PDB file of all heavy atoms in Angstrom:
ATOM      1  N   ASN A  50     128.598 170.569  89.879  1.00 83.00           N
ATOM      2  CA  ASN A  50     130.028 170.748  90.339  1.00 83.00           C
ATOM      3  C   ASN A  50     130.231 169.651  91.380  1.00 83.00           C
ATOM      4  O   ASN A  50     130.499 169.919  92.503  1.00 83.00           O
ATOM      5  CB  ASN A  50     130.100 172.254  91.102  1.00 83.00           C
ATOM      6  CG  ASN A  50     131.511 172.578  91.387  1.00 83.00           C
ATOM      7  OD1 ASN A  50     132.429 171.977  90.733  1.00 83.00           O
ATOM      8  ND2 ASN A  50     131.730 173.425  92.352  1.00 83.00           N
ATOM      9  N   PRO A  51     130.183 168.418  90.938  1.00 82.00           N
ATOM     10  CA  PRO A  51     130.376 167.315  91.889  1.00 82.00           C
ATOM     11  C   PRO A  51     131.796 167.233  92.450  1.00 82.00           C
ATOM     12  O   PRO A  51     132.765 167.710  91.743  1.00 82.00           O
ATOM     13  CB  PRO A  51     129.949 166.082  91.021  1.00 82.00           C
ATOM     14  CG  PRO A  51     130.336 166.521  89.552  1.00 82.00           C
ATOM     15  CD  PRO A  51     130.122 167.869  89.549  1.00 82.00           C
ATOM     16  N   ASP A  52     131.844 166.649  93.561  1.00 81.00           N
ATOM     17  CA  ASP A  52     133.265 166.379  94.128  1.00 81.00           C
ATOM     18  C   ASP A  52     133.300 164.815  94.299  1.00 81.00           C
ATOM     19  O   ASP A  52     132.685 164.238  95.059  1.00 81.00           O
ATOM     20  CB  ASP A  52     133.316 167.100  95.470  1.00 81.00           C
ATOM     21  CG  ASP A  52     134.742 167.029  96.125  1.00 81.00           C
ATOM     22  OD1 ASP A  52     135.665 166.720  95.341  1.00 81.00           O
ATOM     23  OD2 ASP A  52     134.690 167.059  97.380  1.00 81.00           O
ATOM     24  N   PRO A  53     134.335 164.219  93.644  1.00 79.00           N
ATOM     25  CA  PRO A  53     135.390 164.818  92.677  1.00 79.00           C
ATOM     26  C   PRO A  53     134.833 165.257  91.369  1.00 79.00           C
ATOM     27  O   PRO A  53     133.696 164.781  90.986  1.00 79.00           O
ATOM     28  CB  PRO A  53     136.272 163.562  92.548  1.00 79.00           C
ATOM     29  CG  PRO A  53     135.555 162.364  92.710  1.00 79.00           C
ATOM     30  CD  PRO A  53     134.346 162.841  93.679  1.00 79.00           C
ATOM     31  N   PRO A  54     135.375 166.200  90.733  1.00 81.00           N
ATOM     32  CA  PRO A  54     134.962 166.759  89.488  1.00 81.00           C
ATOM     33  C   PRO A  54     134.892 165.646  88.332  1.00 81.00           C
ATOM     34  O   PRO A  54     135.607 164.742  88.358  1.00 81.00           O
ATOM     35  CB  PRO A  54     135.981 167.830  89.149  1.00 81.00           C
ATOM     36  CG  PRO A  54     136.779 168.016  90.310  1.00 81.00           C
ATOM     37  CD  PRO A  54     136.698 166.873  91.112  1.00 81.00           C
ATOM     38  N   VAL A  55     133.948 165.963  87.574  1.00 80.00           N
ATOM     39  CA  VAL A  55     133.769 165.071  86.308  1.00 80.00           C
ATOM     40  C   VAL A  55     133.585 165.934  85.095  1.00 80.00           C
ATOM     41  O   VAL A  55     133.230 167.040  85.238  1.00 80.00           O
ATOM     42  CB  VAL A  55     132.609 164.089  86.480  1.00 80.00           C
ATOM     43  CG1 VAL A  55     132.713 163.121  87.605  1.00 80.00           C
ATOM     44  CG2 VAL A  55     131.262 164.875  86.584  1.00 80.00           C
ATOM     45  N   ASP A  56     133.893 165.327  83.943  1.00 81.00           N
ATOM     46  CA  ASP A  56     133.807 166.167  82.697  1.00 81.00           C
ATOM     47  C   ASP A  56     132.465 166.114  81.983  1.00 81.00           C
ATOM     48  O   ASP A  56     132.194 167.045  81.077  1.00 81.00           O
ATOM     49  CB  ASP A  56     134.828 165.565  81.702  1.00 81.00           C
ATOM     50  CG  ASP A  56     136.132 165.802  82.069  1.00 81.00           C
ATOM     51  OD1 ASP A  56     136.450 166.771  82.757  1.00 81.00           O
ATOM     52  OD2 ASP A  56     137.213 164.938  81.704  1.00 81.00           O
ATOM     53  N   GLU A  57     131.583 165.270  82.412  1.00 86.00           N
ATOM     54  CA  GLU A  57     130.135 165.015  81.582  1.00 86.00           C
ATOM     55  C   GLU A  57     129.083 165.184  82.689  1.00 86.00           C
ATOM     56  O   GLU A  57     129.174 164.755  83.841  1.00 86.00           O
ATOM     57  CB  GLU A  57     130.219 163.760  80.918  1.00 86.00           C
ATOM     58  CG  GLU A  57     131.237 163.556  79.763  1.00 86.00           C
ATOM     59  CD  GLU A  57     130.832 164.454  78.632  1.00 86.00           C
ATOM     60  OE1 GLU A  57     129.631 164.757  78.322  1.00 86.00           O
ATOM     61  OE2 GLU A  57     131.781 164.892  77.930  1.00 86.00           O
ATOM     62  N   LEU A  58     127.996 165.690  82.246  1.00 89.00           N
ATOM     63  CA  LEU A  58     126.789 165.607  82.846  1.00 89.00           C
ATOM     64  C   LEU A  58     126.305 164.114  82.963  1.00 89.00           C
ATOM     65  O   LEU A  58     126.713 163.288  82.209  1.00 89.00           O
ATOM     66  CB  LEU A  58     125.585 166.269  82.243  1.00 89.00           C
ATOM     67  CG  LEU A  58     125.726 167.871  82.270  1.00 89.00           C
ATOM     68  CD1 LEU A  58     124.783 168.418  81.226  1.00 89.00           C
ATOM     69  CD2 LEU A  58     125.473 168.300  83.524  1.00 89.00           C
ATOM     70  N   PRO A  59     125.552 163.822  84.123  1.00 92.00           N
ATOM     71  CA  PRO A  59     125.170 162.412  84.268  1.00 92.00           C
ATOM     72  C   PRO A  59     124.267 161.867  83.009  1.00 92.00           C
ATOM     73  O   PRO A  59     123.621 162.668  82.399  1.00 92.00           O
ATOM     74  CB  PRO A  59     124.304 162.317  85.414  1.00 92.00           C
ATOM     75  CG  PRO A  59     123.969 163.663  85.773  1.00 92.00           C
ATOM     76  CD  PRO A  59     125.058 164.609  85.090  1.00 92.00           C
ATOM     77  N   GLU A  60     124.260 160.507  82.749  1.00 94.00           N
ATOM     78  CA  GLU A  60     123.635 160.011  81.596  1.00 94.00           C
ATOM     79  C   GLU A  60     122.159 159.644  81.958  1.00 94.00           C
ATOM     80  O   GLU A  60     121.763 159.514  83.188  1.00 94.00           O
ATOM     81  CB  GLU A  60     124.240 158.709  81.240  1.00 94.00           C
ATOM     82  CG  GLU A  60     125.684 158.885  80.635  1.00 94.00           C
ATOM     83  CD  GLU A  60     125.729 159.622  79.335  1.00 94.00           C
ATOM     84  OE1 GLU A  60     124.699 159.467  78.525  1.00 94.00           O
ATOM     85  OE2 GLU A  60     126.750 160.091  78.922  1.00 94.00           O
ATOM     86  N   VAL A  61     121.286 159.381  81.060  1.00 97.00           N
ATOM     87  CA  VAL A  61     119.948 159.019  81.341  1.00 97.00           C
ATOM     88  C   VAL A  61     119.852 157.677  82.040  1.00 97.00           C
ATOM     89  O   VAL A  61     120.729 156.794  81.739  1.00 97.00           O
ATOM     90  CB  VAL A  61     119.147 158.706  79.907  1.00 97.00           C
ATOM     91  CG1 VAL A  61     117.768 158.131  80.095  1.00 97.00           C
ATOM     92  CG2 VAL A  61     119.000 160.137  79.161  1.00 97.00           C
TER      93      VAL A  61
END
Side-chain angles (χ1 to χ4, degrees):
N50 190 22
D52 186 20
V55 296
D56 292 330
E57 295 288 326
L58 287 166
E60 297 290 337
V61 171

